[in-house]
């Protein structure tokens, strides 16, 4: 077999691999949307992470960025559920380095109690879905 034939075969396999193996790159990319800032910092939610569940709630990835960051106060990553009809939320998991590092044991629905950042996420996510 000639070198030219081997190169052609390798290039053919490479082309097939590229065409038929499509990694989930979209799952890795975030499209962060900011809500109005508060005195404590900023909150963002990921437009690409929204999942509508049959139970009527919406799951979304969210990120809190404190006004000042140190080794102690870092960005906090949340996986949260939003209930649009009740204007409530629950944090499913949190993390500092990656999403879902720590599962939240308390999965009860909570009222945002006037928290401007959480209300901003709820309002924007619900408006986006509708």
């Amino acid at each position: 077999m000639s070198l030219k034939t081997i190169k052609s075969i390798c290039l053919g396999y490479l082309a097939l691999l590229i065409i038929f193996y499509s990694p989930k790159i979209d799952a890795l990319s975030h499209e962060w949307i900011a809500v109005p800032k508060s005195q404590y910092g900023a909150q963002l939610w990921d437009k690409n992470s929204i999942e509508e569940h049959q139970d009527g709630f919406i799951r979304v990835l969210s990120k809190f960025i404190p006004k000042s960051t140190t080794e102690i106060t870092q960005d906090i990553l949340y996986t949260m559920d939003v209930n649009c009809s009740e204007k409530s939320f629950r944090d499913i998991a949190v993390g500092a380095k990656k999403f879902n590092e720590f599962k939240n044991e308390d999965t009860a629905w909570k009222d945002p109690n006037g928290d401007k950042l959480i209300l901003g996420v709820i309002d924007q996510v619900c408006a986006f879905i509708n």
Side-chain angles (χ1 to χ4, degrees):
M1 211 185 285
S2 72
L3 185 58
K4 188 175 181 179
T5 306
I6 293 172
K7 283 183 182 179
S8 295
I9 291 171
C10 289
L11 286 174
Y13 279 121
L14 181 61
L16 287 173
L17 182 65
I18 291 170
I19 291 169
F20 291 109
Y21 178 74
S22 60
K24 296 233 175 204
I25 294 173
D26 292 336
L28 300 176
S29 62
H30 299 285
E31 188 173 341
W32 295 110
I33 309 293
V35 303
K37 292 181 181 181
S38 79
Q39 63 185 6
Y40 303 108
Q43 188 86 21
L44 303 109
W45 58 277
D46 178 20
K47 183 177 170 182
N48 293 337
S49 72
I50 289 186
E51 298 175 12
E52 291 184 74
H53 286 258
Q54 290 179 344
D55 296 342
F57 65 86
I58 301 161
R59 182 157 292 169
V60 65
L61 300 179
S62 179
K63 174 170 43 173
F64 172 69
I65 303 168
K67 193 168 196 160
S68 62
T69 56
T70 65
E71 287 182 26
I72 297 171
T73 59
Q74 301 174 3
D75 294 2
I76 303 171
L77 307 170
Y78 295 95
T79 299
M80 65 188 294
D81 289 343
V82 173
N83 183 329
C84 293
S85 62
E86 301 287 327
K87 288 221 179 238
S88 60
F89 75 102
R90 62 184 176 191
D91 292 326
I92 300 303
V94 297
K97 296 182 182 4
K98 63 180 183 171
F99 284 97
N100 302 323
E101 281 182 278
F102 307 101
K103 299 288 181 198
N104 188 3
E105 298 298 321
D106 179 15
T107 57
W109 289 100
K110 295 177 178 49
D111 184 287
N113 289 323
D115 185 311
K116 202 169 123 176
L117 298 175
I118 295 173
L119 284 168
V121 171
I122 292 171
D123 290 343
Q124 287 186 11
V125 166
C126 294
F128 177 76
I129 290 298
N130 295 324

